[in-house]
Amino acid sequence: MTVTLGVHASNPSLYYLARLPYLDEELAPLGETGAFHHYADGTRTGTLLAEGVIDLGGTGSTPPITAQAAGHDLVYAAVSAPRPDHGALLVLESGPVRTVADLKGTTVVLAVGSWQTHLLAKALHAQGLSYGDDVTPARPAGGEDQAQRLRDGEIAGWIAQGAELAAARSGGEFRELIRTGDVITDRSVFFTRRDFATERPEVVAAIAAALRRADAWVAAHPAEAAAIAAEELGGTAADWQSALVALPWQLEPATAGFVAEQQEAADIFHGVGFIDRPLTVADAHLPALEAPVAAALAKAV
C-alpha cells in the first residue's frame, strides 16, 4: 500500500518531510511506502482527504473545522506545540489604528480560511466585534505588496507570517497589533480520514514519527532549511531562518485539551457565520489514537 501525504508550503513540517527520507524509513517496517501530493491551497485539505487523493494532511487550526462543517469525517492525528511567534497582525506604526477596536470599518488582508481567520475572528470577538461584519477580510492577490498597501493606507491591517513577517519586523515601519500567541495557540494540525485512523493506527503513528524526525532536522539545520525555502518560495534566507527558528518544532498527540481549543474556535466561527452549522469538535477526536502516536513521537527523538 502507498500512503500519500498532502504537502503545501504553508505547513512547514510536511514541506520539509517531502524533501527528506524519513517517511519511507518509518513506513518500511509496516510494509508500506510513502508518496507526496503537492498542492498550493491548504484549505483544500479536507476535500482531498474525502476524495482519497491524500491519506493525511496538515494545516493550521481553521481548515479542519471548516472541513468538519462541510461533512467530512476526519480525525485529528497530531498537533504541534503552540506557535506564539508564527504570525502577527501588522498595522502602520504611524497610522490611526492603535487598538483592535480601531479596526472596525476597515479592511484586513489575510489568508482567509487559514489559522489567520481564527486569529482575527477571536481577537475581534473579544472586543465585541464581528468578523465579516465589522471588518472586511480580504484575500491577498498575487503580486500585491501588502507592506506597501499598508504604507499607502489601502488597508488597515495585514496578517503576515514566515519570511514576510520577518522582513516586515526588521524595517521598523509596522507595529504588531496582534501577536499570534496573545490570542490563539496557533498549532500546526495534522488530520486524516476516520477509516484510515481506525483501521491503520500504526501507520498514522509512523507518519507522526516521520514528521517528528523532519522537525528535528529543521531545528538542527535552520540555515540549510532556510536556504531551501528561499530558493523555492522567495524571500531571503536570513528572513526564512528568523521565521524557522521561531517555531517550536515539537509534535504532540491530539488531546482533549486541543479539542477544547478547536471547539472555542468553531463556536466563534458559527456565531459570525463563517461556518453554517454548530459543530461538536470532539466527534473528530479519536482517544485511542493518542497512545500509539505518543509512543511513536517518543521513539523518534
Side-chain angles (χ1 to χ4, degrees), residues 12 15-16 85-86 161-167 169 217-231 233-249:
Y15 175 79
Y16 288 106
D85 294 314
H86 181 219
Q161 68 183 79
E164 288 184 322
L165 176 58
R169 279 171 166 162
W217 181 88
V218 179
H221 303 88
E224 188 175 346
I228 293 170
E231 181 178 357
L233 304 175
T236 70
D239 287 337
W240 274 110
Q241 186 164 345
S242 294
L244 293 175
V245 299
L247 296 177
W249 302 110

Side-chain angles (χ1 to χ4, degrees), residues 39-122:
Y39 57 108
D41 183 2
T43 64
R44 296 182 56 236
T45 302
T47 299
L48 293 173
L49 283 168
E51 293 175 347
V53 176
I54 62 175
D55 298 304
L56 183 142
T59 65
S61 54
T62 302
I65 293 174
T66 54
Q68 189 180 359
H72 300 317
D73 194 12
L74 61 89
V75 165
Y76 290 108
V79 299
S80 77
R83 303 182 294 178
D85 294 314
H86 181 219
L89 193 158
L90 303 177
V91 297
L92 192 64
E93 180 63 63
S94 60
V97 176
R98 313 309 297 177
T99 69
V100 172
D102 293 334
L103 291 171
K104 185 174 182 179
T106 70
T107 296
V108 175
V109 170
L110 68 152
V112 175
S114 75
W115 64 267
Q116 298 181 10
T117 293
H118 184 189
L119 175 68
L120 182 59
K122 185 175 178 181

